[in-house]
PDB file of all heavy atoms in Angstrom:
ATOM      1  N   ASN A   1     -70.781 -14.263  41.443  1.00  0.00           N
ATOM      2  CA  ASN A   1     -71.697 -14.582  40.349  1.00  0.00           C
ATOM      3  C   ASN A   1     -71.403 -15.972  39.805  1.00  0.00           C
ATOM      4  O   ASN A   1     -70.563 -16.703  40.353  1.00  0.00           O
ATOM      5  CB  ASN A   1     -71.607 -13.521  39.244  1.00  0.00           C
ATOM      6  CG  ASN A   1     -70.206 -13.414  38.644  1.00  0.00           C
ATOM      7  OD1 ASN A   1     -69.367 -14.301  38.827  1.00  0.00           O
ATOM      8  ND2 ASN A   1     -69.954 -12.337  37.935  1.00  0.00           N
ATOM      9  N   VAL A   2     -72.069 -16.351  38.720  1.00  0.00           N
ATOM     10  CA  VAL A   2     -71.914 -17.698  38.175  1.00  0.00           C
ATOM     11  C   VAL A   2     -70.510 -17.945  37.644  1.00  0.00           C
ATOM     12  O   VAL A   2     -70.083 -19.097  37.506  1.00  0.00           O
ATOM     13  CB  VAL A   2     -72.947 -17.948  37.055  1.00  0.00           C
ATOM     14  CG1 VAL A   2     -74.347 -17.987  37.620  1.00  0.00           C
ATOM     15  CG2 VAL A   2     -72.828 -16.877  35.963  1.00  0.00           C
ATOM     16  N   LEU A   3     -69.779 -16.870  37.352  1.00  0.00           N
ATOM     17  CA  LEU A   3     -68.405 -17.013  36.868  1.00  0.00           C
ATOM     18  C   LEU A   3     -67.389 -17.010  38.000  1.00  0.00           C
ATOM     19  O   LEU A   3     -66.183 -17.115  37.751  1.00  0.00           O
ATOM     20  CB  LEU A   3     -68.083 -15.873  35.886  1.00  0.00           C
ATOM     21  CG  LEU A   3     -68.955 -15.807  34.633  1.00  0.00           C
ATOM     22  CD1 LEU A   3     -68.558 -14.603  33.780  1.00  0.00           C
ATOM     23  CD2 LEU A   3     -68.845 -17.100  33.835  1.00  0.00           C
ATOM     24  N   GLY A   4     -67.893 -16.892  39.225  1.00  0.00           N
ATOM     25  CA  GLY A   4     -67.001 -16.912  40.381  1.00  0.00           C
ATOM     26  C   GLY A   4     -66.404 -15.569  40.734  1.00  0.00           C
ATOM     27  O   GLY A   4     -65.571 -15.478  41.642  1.00  0.00           O
ATOM     28  N   ARG A   5     -66.822 -14.513  40.034  1.00  0.00           N
ATOM     29  CA  ARG A   5     -66.291 -13.192  40.322  1.00  0.00           C
ATOM     30  C   ARG A   5     -67.030 -12.553  41.492  1.00  0.00           C
ATOM     31  O   ARG A   5     -68.224 -12.765  41.670  1.00  0.00           O
ATOM     32  CB  ARG A   5     -66.408 -12.300  39.091  1.00  0.00           C
ATOM     33  CG  ARG A   5     -65.591 -12.773  37.900  1.00  0.00           C
ATOM     34  CD  ARG A   5     -65.841 -11.892  36.703  1.00  0.00           C
ATOM     35  NE  ARG A   5     -65.076 -12.334  35.533  1.00  0.00           N
ATOM     36  CZ  ARG A   5     -65.174 -11.796  34.325  1.00  0.00           C
ATOM     37  NH1 ARG A   5     -66.033 -10.793  34.119  1.00  0.00           N
ATOM     38  NH2 ARG A   5     -64.442 -12.256  33.332  1.00  0.00           N
ATOM     39  N   LYS A   6     -66.306 -11.755  42.266  1.00  0.00           N
ATOM     40  CA  LYS A   6     -66.910 -11.076  43.400  1.00  0.00           C
ATOM     41  C   LYS A   6     -67.786  -9.917  42.917  1.00  0.00           C
ATOM     42  O   LYS A   6     -67.354  -9.115  42.092  1.00  0.00           O
ATOM     43  CB  LYS A   6     -65.840 -10.545  44.349  1.00  0.00           C
ATOM     44  CG  LYS A   6     -65.100 -11.633  45.126  1.00  0.00           C
ATOM     45  CD  LYS A   6     -64.135 -11.017  46.118  1.00  0.00           C
ATOM     46  CE  LYS A   6     -63.443 -12.104  46.943  1.00  0.00           C
ATOM     47  NZ  LYS A   6     -62.498 -11.503  47.934  1.00  0.00           N
ATOM     48  N   VAL A   7     -68.994  -9.862  43.428  1.00  0.00           N
ATOM     49  CA  VAL A   7     -69.917  -8.781  43.095  1.00  0.00           C
ATOM     50  C   VAL A   7     -70.632  -8.346  44.366  1.00  0.00           C
ATOM     51  O   VAL A   7     -70.636  -9.077  45.376  1.00  0.00           O
ATOM     52  CB  VAL A   7     -70.958  -9.209  42.031  1.00  0.00           C
ATOM     53  CG1 VAL A   7     -70.296  -9.490  40.704  1.00  0.00           C
ATOM     54  CG2 VAL A   7     -71.739 -10.424  42.518  1.00  0.00           C
ATOM     55  N   LEU A   8     -71.238  -7.173  44.308  1.00  0.00           N
ATOM     56  CA  LEU A   8     -72.013  -6.673  45.439  1.00  0.00           C
ATOM     57  C   LEU A   8     -73.494  -6.969  45.213  1.00  0.00           C
ATOM     58  O   LEU A   8     -74.038  -6.660  44.152  1.00  0.00           O
ATOM     59  CB  LEU A   8     -71.814  -5.171  45.611  1.00  0.00           C
ATOM     60  CG  LEU A   8     -70.461  -4.719  46.169  1.00  0.00           C
ATOM     61  CD1 LEU A   8     -70.381  -3.206  46.188  1.00  0.00           C
ATOM     62  CD2 LEU A   8     -70.243  -5.274  47.570  1.00  0.00           C
ATOM     63  N   TYR A   9     -74.112  -7.585  46.210  1.00  0.00           N
ATOM     64  CA  TYR A   9     -75.535  -7.898  46.146  1.00  0.00           C
ATOM     65  C   TYR A   9     -76.285  -7.094  47.203  1.00  0.00           C
ATOM     66  O   TYR A   9     -75.861  -7.011  48.362  1.00  0.00           O
ATOM     67  CB  TYR A   9     -75.784  -9.386  46.382  1.00  0.00           C
ATOM     68  CG  TYR A   9     -75.423 -10.268  45.219  1.00  0.00           C
ATOM     69  CD1 TYR A   9     -74.264 -11.033  45.241  1.00  0.00           C
ATOM     70  CD2 TYR A   9     -76.242 -10.328  44.094  1.00  0.00           C
ATOM     71  CE1 TYR A   9     -73.932 -11.858  44.172  1.00  0.00           C
ATOM     72  CE2 TYR A   9     -75.923 -11.141  43.019  1.00  0.00           C
ATOM     73  CZ  TYR A   9     -74.764 -11.904  43.067  1.00  0.00           C
ATOM     74  OH  TYR A   9     -74.437 -12.711  41.996  1.00  0.00           O
ATOM     75  N   LEU A  10     -77.410  -6.509  46.782  1.00  0.00           N
ATOM     76  CA  LEU A  10     -78.298  -5.849  47.734  1.00  0.00           C
ATOM     77  C   LEU A  10     -79.159  -6.896  48.428  1.00  0.00           C
ATOM     78  O   LEU A  10     -79.354  -7.995  47.887  1.00  0.00           O
ATOM     79  CB  LEU A  10     -79.177  -4.833  47.010  1.00  0.00           C
ATOM     80  CG  LEU A  10     -78.437  -3.629  46.435  1.00  0.00           C
ATOM     81  CD1 LEU A  10     -79.354  -2.821  45.516  1.00  0.00           C
ATOM     82  CD2 LEU A  10     -77.917  -2.735  47.549  1.00  0.00           C
ATOM     83  N   PRO A  11     -79.673  -6.589  49.621  1.00  0.00           N
ATOM     84  CA  PRO A  11     -80.479  -7.578  50.353  1.00  0.00           C
ATOM     85  C   PRO A  11     -81.670  -8.067  49.535  1.00  0.00           C
ATOM     86  O   PRO A  11     -82.350  -7.279  48.865  1.00  0.00           O
ATOM     87  CB  PRO A  11     -80.944  -6.808  51.592  1.00  0.00           C
ATOM     88  CG  PRO A  11     -79.939  -5.721  51.758  1.00  0.00           C
ATOM     89  CD  PRO A  11     -79.507  -5.344  50.386  1.00  0.00           C
ATOM     90  N   GLY A  12     -81.921  -9.371  49.581  1.00  0.00           N
ATOM     91  CA  GLY A  12     -83.065  -9.946  48.896  1.00  0.00           C
ATOM     92  C   GLY A  12     -84.333  -9.813  49.724  1.00  0.00           C
ATOM     93  O   GLY A  12     -84.347  -9.179  50.792  1.00  0.00           O
ATOM     94  N   PHE A  13     -85.398 -10.438  49.235  1.00  0.00           N
ATOM     95  CA  PHE A  13     -86.698 -10.295  49.881  1.00  0.00           C
ATOM     96  C   PHE A  13     -86.676 -10.725  51.342  1.00  0.00           C
ATOM     97  O   PHE A  13     -87.176 -10.008  52.210  1.00  0.00           O
ATOM     98  CB  PHE A  13     -87.750 -11.109  49.123  1.00  0.00           C
ATOM     99  CG  PHE A  13     -89.028 -11.309  49.885  1.00  0.00           C
ATOM    100  CD1 PHE A  13     -89.910 -10.263  50.083  1.00  0.00           C
ATOM    101  CD2 PHE A  13     -89.336 -12.545  50.443  1.00  0.00           C
ATOM    102  CE1 PHE A  13     -91.080 -10.431  50.807  1.00  0.00           C
ATOM    103  CE2 PHE A  13     -90.503 -12.725  51.158  1.00  0.00           C
ATOM    104  CZ  PHE A  13     -91.379 -11.668  51.347  1.00  0.00           C
ATOM    105  N   PHE A  14     -86.115 -11.884  51.632  1.00  0.00           N
ATOM    106  CA  PHE A  14     -86.185 -12.420  52.995  1.00  0.00           C
ATOM    107  C   PHE A  14     -85.384 -11.559  53.975  1.00  0.00           C
ATOM    108  O   PHE A  14     -85.825 -11.314  55.109  1.00  0.00           O
ATOM    109  CB  PHE A  14     -85.692 -13.867  53.007  1.00  0.00           C
ATOM    110  CG  PHE A  14     -86.542 -14.792  52.192  1.00  0.00           C
ATOM    111  CD1 PHE A  14     -86.130 -15.229  50.942  1.00  0.00           C
ATOM    112  CD2 PHE A  14     -87.781 -15.209  52.662  1.00  0.00           C
ATOM    113  CE1 PHE A  14     -86.923 -16.070  50.178  1.00  0.00           C
ATOM    114  CE2 PHE A  14     -88.584 -16.052  51.910  1.00  0.00           C
ATOM    115  CZ  PHE A  14     -88.154 -16.471  50.656  1.00  0.00           C
ATOM    116  N   THR A  15     -84.211 -11.079  53.552  1.00  0.00           N
ATOM    117  CA  THR A  15     -83.415 -10.208  54.418  1.00  0.00           C
ATOM    118  C   THR A  15     -84.131  -8.882  54.653  1.00  0.00           C
ATOM    119  O   THR A  15     -84.174  -8.362  55.774  1.00  0.00           O
ATOM    120  CB  THR A  15     -82.041  -9.956  53.789  1.00  0.00           C
ATOM    121  OG1 THR A  15     -81.392 -11.205  53.549  1.00  0.00           O
ATOM    122  CG2 THR A  15     -81.179  -9.104  54.703  1.00  0.00           C
ATOM    123  N   TYR A  16     -84.720  -8.343  53.600  1.00  0.00           N
ATOM    124  CA  TYR A  16     -85.439  -7.072  53.693  1.00  0.00           C
ATOM    125  C   TYR A  16     -86.670  -7.230  54.592  1.00  0.00           C
ATOM    126  O   TYR A  16     -86.958  -6.377  55.444  1.00  0.00           O
ATOM    127  CB  TYR A  16     -85.864  -6.619  52.295  1.00  0.00           C
ATOM    128  CG  TYR A  16     -85.984  -5.125  52.125  1.00  0.00           C
ATOM    129  CD1 TYR A  16     -85.311  -4.473  51.092  1.00  0.00           C
ATOM    130  CD2 TYR A  16     -86.780  -4.352  52.964  1.00  0.00           C
ATOM    131  CE1 TYR A  16     -85.428  -3.097  50.911  1.00  0.00           C
ATOM    132  CE2 TYR A  16     -86.898  -2.989  52.793  1.00  0.00           C
ATOM    133  CZ  TYR A  16     -86.219  -2.366  51.760  1.00  0.00           C
ATOM    134  OH  TYR A  16     -86.339  -1.002  51.598  1.00  0.00           O
ATOM    135  N   ALA A  17     -87.397  -8.328  54.403  1.00  0.00           N
ATOM    136  CA  ALA A  17     -88.589  -8.570  55.231  1.00  0.00           C
ATOM    137  C   ALA A  17     -88.204  -8.728  56.693  1.00  0.00           C
ATOM    138  O   ALA A  17     -88.918  -8.250  57.590  1.00  0.00           O
ATOM    139  CB  ALA A  17     -89.323  -9.807  54.727  1.00  0.00           C
ATOM    140  N   ARG A  18     -87.091  -9.388  56.947  1.00  0.00           N
ATOM    141  CA  ARG A  18     -86.634  -9.542  58.326  1.00  0.00           C
ATOM    142  C   ARG A  18     -86.307  -8.194  58.948  1.00  0.00           C
ATOM    143  O   ARG A  18     -86.564  -7.964  60.142  1.00  0.00           O
ATOM    144  CB  ARG A  18     -85.418 -10.475  58.346  1.00  0.00           C
ATOM    145  CG  ARG A  18     -84.951 -10.841  59.760  1.00  0.00           C
ATOM    146  CD  ARG A  18     -84.060 -12.069  59.770  1.00  0.00           C
ATOM    147  NE  ARG A  18     -82.929 -11.934  58.848  1.00  0.00           N
ATOM    148  CZ  ARG A  18     -82.780 -12.661  57.755  1.00  0.00           C
ATOM    149  NH1 ARG A  18     -83.699 -13.564  57.424  1.00  0.00           N
ATOM    150  NH2 ARG A  18     -81.721 -12.512  56.980  1.00  0.00           N
ATOM    151  N   HIS A  19     -85.763  -7.282  58.158  1.00  0.00           N
ATOM    152  CA  HIS A  19     -85.472  -5.936  58.656  1.00  0.00           C
ATOM    153  C   HIS A  19     -86.767  -5.211  59.029  1.00  0.00           C
ATOM    154  O   HIS A  19     -86.831  -4.532  60.066  1.00  0.00           O
ATOM    155  CB  HIS A  19     -84.715  -5.146  57.580  1.00  0.00           C
ATOM    156  CG  HIS A  19     -84.580  -3.687  57.884  1.00  0.00           C
ATOM    157  ND1 HIS A  19     -83.742  -3.206  58.871  1.00  0.00           N
ATOM    158  CD2 HIS A  19     -85.203  -2.590  57.339  1.00  0.00           C
ATOM    159  CE1 HIS A  19     -83.834  -1.888  58.922  1.00  0.00           C
ATOM    160  NE2 HIS A  19     -84.708  -1.488  58.013  1.00  0.00           N
ATOM    161  N   ILE A  20     -87.806  -5.363  58.201  1.00  0.00           N
ATOM    162  CA  ILE A  20     -89.094  -4.723  58.505  1.00  0.00           C
ATOM    163  C   ILE A  20     -89.662  -5.268  59.810  1.00  0.00           C
ATOM    164  O   ILE A  20     -90.189  -4.518  60.644  1.00  0.00           O
ATOM    165  CB  ILE A  20     -90.081  -4.949  57.349  1.00  0.00           C
ATOM    166  CG1 ILE A  20     -89.606  -4.218  56.089  1.00  0.00           C
ATOM    167  CG2 ILE A  20     -91.486  -4.468  57.734  1.00  0.00           C
ATOM    168  CD1 ILE A  20     -90.466  -4.478  54.866  1.00  0.00           C
ATOM    169  N   VAL A  21     -89.536  -6.584  60.015  1.00  0.00           N
ATOM    170  CA  VAL A  21     -90.021  -7.205  61.254  1.00  0.00           C
ATOM    171  C   VAL A  21     -89.252  -6.671  62.454  1.00  0.00           C
ATOM    172  O   VAL A  21     -89.826  -6.414  63.523  1.00  0.00           O
ATOM    173  CB  VAL A  21     -89.906  -8.738  61.163  1.00  0.00           C
ATOM    174  CG1 VAL A  21     -90.225  -9.383  62.506  1.00  0.00           C
ATOM    175  CG2 VAL A  21     -90.847  -9.282  60.090  1.00  0.00           C
ATOM    176  N   GLU A  22     -87.953  -6.478  62.312  1.00  0.00           N
ATOM    177  CA  GLU A  22     -87.140  -5.949  63.410  1.00  0.00           C
ATOM    178  C   GLU A  22     -87.559  -4.532  63.781  1.00  0.00           C
ATOM    179  O   GLU A  22     -87.491  -4.143  64.951  1.00  0.00           O
ATOM    180  CB  GLU A  22     -85.665  -5.979  63.018  1.00  0.00           C
ATOM    181  CG  GLU A  22     -85.077  -7.379  62.918  1.00  0.00           C
ATOM    182  CD  GLU A  22     -83.645  -7.365  62.384  1.00  0.00           C
ATOM    183  OE1 GLU A  22     -83.166  -6.266  62.003  1.00  0.00           O
ATOM    184  OE2 GLU A  22     -83.017  -8.440  62.350  1.00  0.00           O
ATOM    185  N   VAL A  23     -87.998  -3.765  62.784  1.00  0.00           N
ATOM    186  CA  VAL A  23     -88.372  -2.374  63.035  1.00  0.00           C
ATOM    187  C   VAL A  23     -89.826  -2.255  63.508  1.00  0.00           C
ATOM    188  O   VAL A  23     -90.114  -1.556  64.488  1.00  0.00           O
ATOM    189  CB  VAL A  23     -88.173  -1.528  61.758  1.00  0.00           C
ATOM    190  CG1 VAL A  23     -88.686  -0.106  61.964  1.00  0.00           C
ATOM    191  CG2 VAL A  23     -86.709  -1.504  61.352  1.00  0.00           C
ATOM    192  N   ASP A  24     -90.739  -2.929  62.831  1.00  0.00           N
ATOM    193  CA  ASP A  24     -92.178  -2.760  63.087  1.00  0.00           C
ATOM    194  C   ASP A  24     -92.863  -4.000  63.644  1.00  0.00           C
ATOM    195  O   ASP A  24     -94.076  -3.962  63.885  1.00  0.00           O
ATOM    196  CB  ASP A  24     -92.888  -2.345  61.793  1.00  0.00           C
ATOM    197  CG  ASP A  24     -92.661  -0.887  61.439  1.00  0.00           C
ATOM    198  OD1 ASP A  24     -92.237  -0.128  62.332  1.00  0.00           O
ATOM    199  OD2 ASP A  24     -92.880  -0.506  60.273  1.00  0.00           O
ATOM    200  N   GLY A  25     -92.156  -5.098  63.809  1.00  0.00           N
ATOM    201  CA  GLY A  25     -92.803  -6.332  64.227  1.00  0.00           C
ATOM    202  C   GLY A  25     -93.437  -7.050  63.032  1.00  0.00           C
ATOM    203  O   GLY A  25     -93.464  -6.538  61.909  1.00  0.00           O
ATOM    204  N   LYS A  26     -93.980  -8.228  63.281  1.00  0.00           N
ATOM    205  CA  LYS A  26     -94.562  -9.013  62.190  1.00  0.00           C
ATOM    206  C   LYS A  26     -95.764  -8.319  61.558  1.00  0.00           C
ATOM    207  O   LYS A  26     -96.004  -8.455  60.357  1.00  0.00           O
ATOM    208  CB  LYS A  26     -94.964 -10.401  62.711  1.00  0.00           C
ATOM    209  CG  LYS A  26     -93.774 -11.274  63.108  1.00  0.00           C
ATOM    210  CD  LYS A  26     -94.207 -12.655  63.574  1.00  0.00           C
ATOM    211  CE  LYS A  26     -93.005 -13.509  63.925  1.00  0.00           C
ATOM    212  NZ  LYS A  26     -93.393 -14.860  64.410  1.00  0.00           N
ATOM    213  N   ARG A  27     -96.510  -7.582  62.369  1.00  0.00           N
ATOM    214  CA  ARG A  27     -97.658  -6.864  61.813  1.00  0.00           C
ATOM    215  C   ARG A  27     -97.220  -5.793  60.826  1.00  0.00           C
ATOM    216  O   ARG A  27     -97.993  -5.383  59.953  1.00  0.00           O
ATOM    217  CB  ARG A  27     -98.471  -6.233  62.939  1.00  0.00           C
ATOM    218  CG  ARG A  27     -99.193  -7.236  63.839  1.00  0.00           C
ATOM    219  CD  ARG A  27    -100.035  -6.531  64.877  1.00  0.00           C
ATOM    220  NE  ARG A  27    -101.067  -5.692  64.272  1.00  0.00           N
ATOM    221  CZ  ARG A  27    -101.877  -4.906  64.967  1.00  0.00           C
ATOM    222  NH1 ARG A  27    -101.774  -4.865  66.294  1.00  0.00           N
ATOM    223  NH2 ARG A  27    -102.784  -4.185  64.355  1.00  0.00           N
ATOM    224  N   GLY A  28     -95.973  -5.355  60.952  1.00  0.00           N
ATOM    225  CA  GLY A  28     -95.475  -4.332  60.059  1.00  0.00           C
ATOM    226  C   GLY A  28     -95.412  -4.776  58.612  1.00  0.00           C
ATOM    227  O   GLY A  28     -95.436  -3.946  57.698  1.00  0.00           O
ATOM    228  N   LEU A  29     -95.342  -6.099  58.383  1.00  0.00           N
ATOM    229  CA  LEU A  29     -95.310  -6.621  57.021  1.00  0.00           C
ATOM    230  C   LEU A  29     -96.643  -6.421  56.303  1.00  0.00           C
ATOM    231  O   LEU A  29     -96.716  -6.601  55.082  1.00  0.00           O
ATOM    232  CB  LEU A  29     -94.958  -8.112  57.028  1.00  0.00           C
ATOM    233  CG  LEU A  29     -93.500  -8.472  57.338  1.00  0.00           C
ATOM    234  CD1 LEU A  29     -93.344  -9.979  57.475  1.00  0.00           C
ATOM    235  CD2 LEU A  29     -92.565  -7.943  56.245  1.00  0.00           C
TER     236      LEU A  29
END
């Protein structure tokens, strides 16, 4: 985070969208 502490982040939009493409292809979006 902004304070330099380690935190857990869930996948953002681009990572999530890439996962959808891997599963269903670009049309899947």
Side-chain angles (χ1 to χ4, degrees):
N1 60 16
V2 293
L3 299 178
R5 296 176 181 175
K6 289 184 177 181
V7 294
L8 287 176
Y9 285 104
L10 293 169
F13 166 72
F14 297 103
T15 303
Y16 209 127
R18 187 162 54 247
H19 170 72
I20 294 175
V21 172
E22 291 174 355
V23 175
D24 284 343
K26 293 182 178 179
R27 292 183 61 185
L29 287 173

